[in-house]
């Protein structure tokens, strides 16, 4: 069955190909109608000259008929446009055939007439030679359609052969035989030309088709079938060239939030299905004439025609709603979120590159601003980018120039009110820009790799400060995943401890969930190696990530820090309280301490304490302070608790 289908498919393809090749060959018949006209004029002129010399009215009539046929043929050639598909190949061929055959036959007849009517030898030679030359020439010219070529040659020759044979003259009989032999000879030549022509046209067609296919593939994303980066670029450039200046478009750049986690936790096949589903929804939502593309990974870019900014806002919010709709994969319901950056043509960029940059920048702001949101490009974003670039340049120098320092924020025992630990938080006092928040420059340090040097410096500094505190007070240092994956990461920490003379059990390293998403040997070794010498690990910002709890059992974590959005965020309520309670319960079962972050009021302190958190951190107790103030806080503690927490 399959073999049959394949055979059919092949036949269909070859039929289609031969139909296209045939069309090209038929089109070749219609090229140069001027040559048709010139041929006809010279032939009619020769005919008229012969008729005048011999005074043969029959020849005049033949000339008139020839003129009518030639005029009809030239008119048809000019009027029918074989390039457009309005006339079928068969019809084009038929029209040509009728004209060509009648023209050839009349021409042959004119040659034969000179023999029958006993014209002078010169005039006979003129007309017979004229007809034969035409027959031979046309057999080569029209070899693209051999039936026509052979038909014309035969029709031109037949009247002359008959005329020659009818005279009984030996010379003319010899001529008739010669012409009879000429026909098969020319037939074979025409067929040979035809074969070569057909093969080369078919080869050219096949390679043109292949080139088309390759180009299509090069512009298509295999996973989703959407355009890829090259496809979008092509579409953008084409549209921008084709549309007029006042036409408007929106470029929407979409980045799926935390898609990497879906891929890493559920596997690439599931990830691919999510991408395909998102692609389908995007196609459904986009207005007609849009290009929907996927830029590798989890980024999609849409280029759509719009009438107003309002419409672009509407499209963006529809896209957002569509993506947020849970994706069903077998029994699972996956929630996908996305950040969107939108730039408009022409106000945010007049060419493809600028428009892309603007949308990219808007997307960046959407992501930095907390993800799962849409941002439209505005001019201040360019200024922010400049600021980022400046930070990037100045960060390396800042370390040497002593502009960075570490502040310490106490982490307090919620039972006793005693400081158990200080979290080291970096501060940058820039001579011109003032105090820069870590949220602003840590991501830049991560992107540029400076975080490794910076992180080592922070740990060394924090260890040195902590060595001066009482022995029951430890120090917590934030570590970026990048820093941990860097070669020699564990060694850097051990060196810092040794140089500061700090007991490893007084150092706590705060890591985030994102570290555990990837099954990385380097991470596991790092944690194992440092745990073995007594260093503790705390899970930071708990509740903001993917919250797959598997790794809590796998890795030796001693603390969980519940993110401050559960304590003092905008959405705090019964639900977040229940979550804190559940986490605290899990902590006590697994022998971990639970820290509540972001405590700003006594009520919050009481709530989290009642929910079962053992430690607290936040402005209620103290902001992050310089090292000498941290020592003062510890000294104060000797006189009484830091803050009254039992209310
Ligand atoms: P984080 O690790 O969650 O640090 C706690 C952040 O919450 C600190 O912001 C702290 O000042 C702030 N905070 C503490 N109590 C309260 C409160 O009651 N209310 C409010 N609204 N905020 C409170 P900070 O110092 O700006 O640091 C921000 C983030 O930057 C940190 O979040 C951490 O992820 C990163 N970071 C800070 N220092 C370092 C560092 O030395 N290394 C690395 N890798 N990252 C750091
Ligand atoms: Ca932290
Ligand atoms: Ca935190």
């Amino acid at each position: 069955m399959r073999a049959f289908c394949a055979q059919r498919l092949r036949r269909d393809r070859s039929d289609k190909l031969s139909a296209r090749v045939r069309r090209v060959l038929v089109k070749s018949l219609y090229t140069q109608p001027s040559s048709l006209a010139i041929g006809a004029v010279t032939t009619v002129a020769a005919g008229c000259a012969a008729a005048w010399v011999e005074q043969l009215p029959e020849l005049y009539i033949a000339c008139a008929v020839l003129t009518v046929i030639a005029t009809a043929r030239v008119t048809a050639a000019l009027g029918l446009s074989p390039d457009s598909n309005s006339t079928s190949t068969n019809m084009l061929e038929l029209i040509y055939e009728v004209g060509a055959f009648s023209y050839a036959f009349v021409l042959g007849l004119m040659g034969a007439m000179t023999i029958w009517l006993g014209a002078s030898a010169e005039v006979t030679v003129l007309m017979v030679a004229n007809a034969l030359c035409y027959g031979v020439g046309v057999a080569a010219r029209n070899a693209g359609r051999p039936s026509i070529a052979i038909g014309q040659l035969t029709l031109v020759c037949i009247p002359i052969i008959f005329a020659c044979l009818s005279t009984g003259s030996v010379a003319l009989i010899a001529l008739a035989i010669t012409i009879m032999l000429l026909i098969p000879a020319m037939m074979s030549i025409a067929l040979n030309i035809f074969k070569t022509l057909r093969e080369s046209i078919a080869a050219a067609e096949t390679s043109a088709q292949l080139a088309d296919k390759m180009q299509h593939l090069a512009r298509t994303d295999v996973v989703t079938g959407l355009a890829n980066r090259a496809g979008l670029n092509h579409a953008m450039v084409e549209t921008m060239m084709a549309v007029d200046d006042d036409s408007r478009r929106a470029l929407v750049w979409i980045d799926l939030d935390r898609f990497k986690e879906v891929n890493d936790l559920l596997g690439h096949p599931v990830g691919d299905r999510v991408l395909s589903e998102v692609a389908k929804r995007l196609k459904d939502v986009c207005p007609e004439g849009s290009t929907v593309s996927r830029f590798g990974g989890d980024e999609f870019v849409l280029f759509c025609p719009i009438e107003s900014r309002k419409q672009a806002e509407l499209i963006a919010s529809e896209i957002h709603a569509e993506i947020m709709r849970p994706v069903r994969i077998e029994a699972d319901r996956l929630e996908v979120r996305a950040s969107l950056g939108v730039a408009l043509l022409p106000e945010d960029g007049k060419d493809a590159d600028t428009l892309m940059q603007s949308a990219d920048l808007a997307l960046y702001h959407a992501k930095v601003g907390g993800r799962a949101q849409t941002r439209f490009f505005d001019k201040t974003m360019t200024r922010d980018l400049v600021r980022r670039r400046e930070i990037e340049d100045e960060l390396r120098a800042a370390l040497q120039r002593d502009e960075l320092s570490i502040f310490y924020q106490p982490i307090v025992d919620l039972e006793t009110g005693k400081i158990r630990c200080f979290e080291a938080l970096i501060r940058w006092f820039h001579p011109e820009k003032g105090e820069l928040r870590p949220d602003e420059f840590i991501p830049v340090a991560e992107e540029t790799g400076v975080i490794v040097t910076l992180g080592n410096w922070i740990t060394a500094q924090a260890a040195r400060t902590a060595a001066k505190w009482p022995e029951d007070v430890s120090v917590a240092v934030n570590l970026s995943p990048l820093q941990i994956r860097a070669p020699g990461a564990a060694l850097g920490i051990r060196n810092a401890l040794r140089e500061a003379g700090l007991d490893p059990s007084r150092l706590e390293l705060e890591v985030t969930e994102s570290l555990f998403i990837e099954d990385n040997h380097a991470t596991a070794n790092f944690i194992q190696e440092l745990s073995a010498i007594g260093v503790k690990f705390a899970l930071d910002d708990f509740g903001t990530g993917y919250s797959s709890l598997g790794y809590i059992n796998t890795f030796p974590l001693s603390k969980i820090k519940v993110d401050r959005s559960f304590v003092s965020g905008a959405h705090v309520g019964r639900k977040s309280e229940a979550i804190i309670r559940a986490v605290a319960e899990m902590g006590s079962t697994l022998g971990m301490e639970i820290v509540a972050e972001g405590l700003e009021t006594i009520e919050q302190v009481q709530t989290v304490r009642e929910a079962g958190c053992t430690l607290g951190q936040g402005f209620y107790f103290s902001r992050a302070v310089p090292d000498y103030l941290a020592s003062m806080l510890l000294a104060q503690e000797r006189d009484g608790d830091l803050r009254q927490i039992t209310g």
Side-chain angles (χ1 to χ4, degrees):
M1 183 68 191
R2 194 181 287 168
F4 173 74
C5 289
Q7 201 183 359
R8 222 181 129 160
L9 203 74
R10 264 198 305 274
R11 207 177 48 224
D12 277 0
R13 266 198 219 130
S14 84
D15 283 355
K16 257 189 215 153
L17 179 69
S18 53
R20 272 205 304 277
V21 172
R22 197 173 142 225
R23 176 108 193 154
V24 174
L25 292 171
V26 170
K27 259 161 63 178
S28 77
L29 297 175
Y30 279 87
T31 51
Q32 293 180 313
S34 57
S35 73
L36 214 80
I38 295 168
V41 168
T42 50
T43 309
V44 170
C48 287
W52 178 69
V53 170
E54 300 293 325
Q55 285 304 305
L56 296 171
E58 295 89 338
L59 259 188
Y60 278 123
I61 296 168
C63 282
V65 174
L66 205 64
T67 309
V68 172
I69 296 171
T71 313
R73 291 185 72 198
V74 174
T75 316
L78 291 174
L80 294 169
S81 53
D83 285 331
S84 85
N85 285 333
S86 55
T87 319
S88 71
T89 309
N90 280 346
M91 185 50 98
L92 283 174
E93 201 170 17
L94 184 72
I95 294 171
Y96 190 89
E97 250 167 21
V98 171
F101 288 169
S102 48
Y103 186 88
F105 185 68
V106 175
L107 196 58
L109 214 57
M110 283 164 77
M113 268 180 196
T114 53
I115 300 172
W116 276 322
L117 301 172
S120 66
E122 294 91 328
V123 167
T124 308
V125 168
L126 172 67
M127 291 320 291
V128 170
N130 212 320
L132 290 180
C133 287
Y134 170 82
V136 171
V138 98
R141 180 196 183 270
N142 291 348
R145 294 310 296 141
S147 58
I148 297 180
I150 293 163
Q152 282 177 287
L153 177 66
T154 316
L155 283 168
V156 105
C157 293
I158 281 173
I160 299 174
I161 293 170
F162 271 109
C164 290
L165 292 178
S166 67
T167 56
S169 134
V170 177
L172 287 180
I173 291 173
L175 178 62
I177 294 170
T178 312
I179 298 172
M180 278 190 256
L181 292 175
L182 177 76
I183 296 175
M186 279 317 293
M187 266 186 193
S188 134
I189 291 172
L191 284 173
N192 258 333
I193 297 176
F194 168 68
K195 205 166 139 242
T196 315
L197 261 178
R198 192 186 53 186
E199 278 166 7
S200 55
I201 292 172
E205 274 271 323
T206 311
S207 54
Q209 269 177 302
L210 258 175
D212 272 359
K213 202 164 156 193
M214 300 290 278
Q215 200 167 46
H216 179 74
L217 275 179
R219 290 182 183 150
T220 309
D221 166 50
V222 268
V223 176
T224 58
L226 298 177
N228 59 13
R229 193 182 282 264
L232 179 82
N233 269 341
H234 176 74
M236 278 178 81
V237 172
E238 294 264 293
T239 328
M240 282 174 162
M241 282 197 315
V243 299
D244 38 324
D245 285 349
D246 52 357
S247 113
R248 311 198 60 187
R249 310 257 143 181
L251 190 75
V252 187
W253 200 318
I254 303 161
D255 187 303
L256 303 187
D257 295 333
R258 301 182 180 280
F259 180 73
K260 191 172 177 324
E261 294 169 22
V262 173
N263 248 347
D264 292 341
L265 287 173
L266 306 173
H268 284 262
V270 174
D272 283 356
R273 285 170 67 182
V274 172
L275 290 175
S276 298
E277 176 61 27
V278 170
K280 193 176 145 288
R281 293 183 188 181
L282 290 178
K283 274 197 286 192
D284 291 346
V285 150
C286 270
E288 205 167 305
S290 306
T291 305
V292 185
S293 65
R294 174 174 167 243
F295 273 24
D298 52 2
E299 290 183 24
F300 292 85
V301 181
L302 272 59
F303 187 53
C304 23
I306 47 157
E307 261 146 37
S308 61
R309 188 187 174 89
K310 211 125 211 79
Q311 195 195 349
E313 283 168 6
L314 211 74
I315 295 173
S317 77
E318 273 177 37
I319 290 172
H320 216 187
E322 271 301 304
I323 294 179
M324 299 278 272
R325 220 157 35 78
V327 177
R328 277 192 182 280
I329 287 182
E330 273 130 41
D332 290 328
R333 250 171 117 248
L334 285 176
E335 297 203 3
V336 184
R337 289 161 158 259
S339 304
L340 273 72
V342 187
L344 304 179
L345 177 82
E347 52 262 57
D348 303 333
K350 287 192 174 57
D351 55 81
D353 280 348
T354 321
L355 203 61
M356 295 278 262
Q357 272 168 20
S358 301
D360 189 18
L361 210 52
L363 175 65
Y364 170 75
H365 279 261
K367 287 202 279 191
V368 175
R371 294 169 186 270
Q373 32 174 288
T374 301
R375 291 291 300 270
F376 275 65
F377 174 79
D378 73 61
K379 299 269 182 296
T380 59
M381 291 178 177
T382 317
R383 282 203 291 281
D384 287 353
L385 183 74
V386 172
R387 187 178 162 91
R388 232 174 112 75
R389 293 242 168 89
E390 282 171 10
I391 289 176
E392 199 176 312
D393 290 342
E394 288 167 349
L395 191 55
R396 289 166 210 272
L399 254 172
Q400 270 117 46
R401 283 201 230 119
D402 250 0
E403 288 168 17
L404 297 169
S405 58
I406 298 171
F407 276 37
Y408 298 89
Q409 188 181 30
I411 298 175
V412 177
D413 189 316
L414 291 179
E415 268 319 308
T416 64
K418 291 244 175 346
I419 298 175
R420 294 262 303 273
C421 179
F422 279 98
E423 179 175 0
L425 294 163
I426 183 100
R427 297 287 177 264
W428 181 359
F429 297 97
H430 193 281
E432 285 136 33
K433 295 190 178 84
E435 188 185 331
L436 292 172
R437 294 181 45 82
D439 287 335
E440 211 173 340
F441 64 86
I442 292 287
V444 181
E446 286 176 338
E447 270 171 35
T448 51
V450 178
I451 192 70
V452 178
T453 323
L454 187 63
N456 282 337
W457 178 82
I458 295 167
T459 317
Q461 199 81 356
R464 235 175 276 142
T465 307
K468 295 180 202 141
W469 298 335
E471 292 208 338
D472 56 345
V473 180
S474 46
V475 67
V477 173
N478 292 287
L479 287 194
S480 294
L482 228 103
Q483 216 178 318
I484 296 171
R485 290 182 196 132
L491 189 67
I493 297 204
R494 293 173 72 149
N495 284 345
L497 287 169
R498 205 187 49 243
E499 274 164 29
L502 185 74
D503 190 299
S505 65
R506 289 176 61 200
L507 177 68
E508 239 164 51
L509 299 175
E510 293 194 3
V511 296
T512 49
E513 284 170 292
S514 61
L515 187 69
F516 302 107
I517 298 296
E518 226 172 284
D519 186 19
N520 192 303
H521 280 300
T523 308
N525 290 344
F526 175 89
I527 296 179
Q528 239 93 57
E529 180 178 345
L530 292 176
S531 290
I533 59 164
V535 174
K536 300 201 174 71
F537 284 86
L539 186 61
D540 203 357
D541 302 338
F542 184 78
T544 56
Y546 201 77
S547 300
S548 151
L549 299 175
Y551 55 81
I552 292 184
N553 249 342
T554 321
F555 293 100
L557 300 167
S558 60
K559 256 185 205 170
I560 290 180
K561 298 184 81 180
V562 179
D563 190 68
R564 63 171 181 270
S565 57
F566 291 91
V567 177
S568 53
H571 307 292
V572 171
R574 278 184 177 283
K575 236 182 178 173
S576 44
E577 220 182 291
I579 292 173
I580 298 178
R581 205 173 286 278
V583 175
E585 210 160 292
M586 176 185 76
S588 83
T589 317
L590 296 175
M592 290 181 201
E593 296 212 77
I594 307 297
V595 190
E597 291 187 303
L599 297 173
E600 292 179 355
T601 65
I602 180 75
E603 289 78 20
Q604 288 166 351
V605 175
Q606 277 162 354
T607 312
V608 299
R609 204 164 65 110
E610 275 157 27
C613 293
T614 49
L615 298 169
Q617 178 182 5
F619 297 165
Y620 174 73
F621 300 112
S622 166
R623 286 180 184 260
V625 294
D627 54 358
Y628 68 92
L629 278 182
S631 302
M632 265 177 64
L633 283 177
L634 286 170
Q636 260 176 17
E637 218 181 44
R638 315 287 119 158
D639 306 327
D641 289 349
L642 185 63
R643 289 283 298 250
Q644 191 60 37
I645 59 165
T646 41

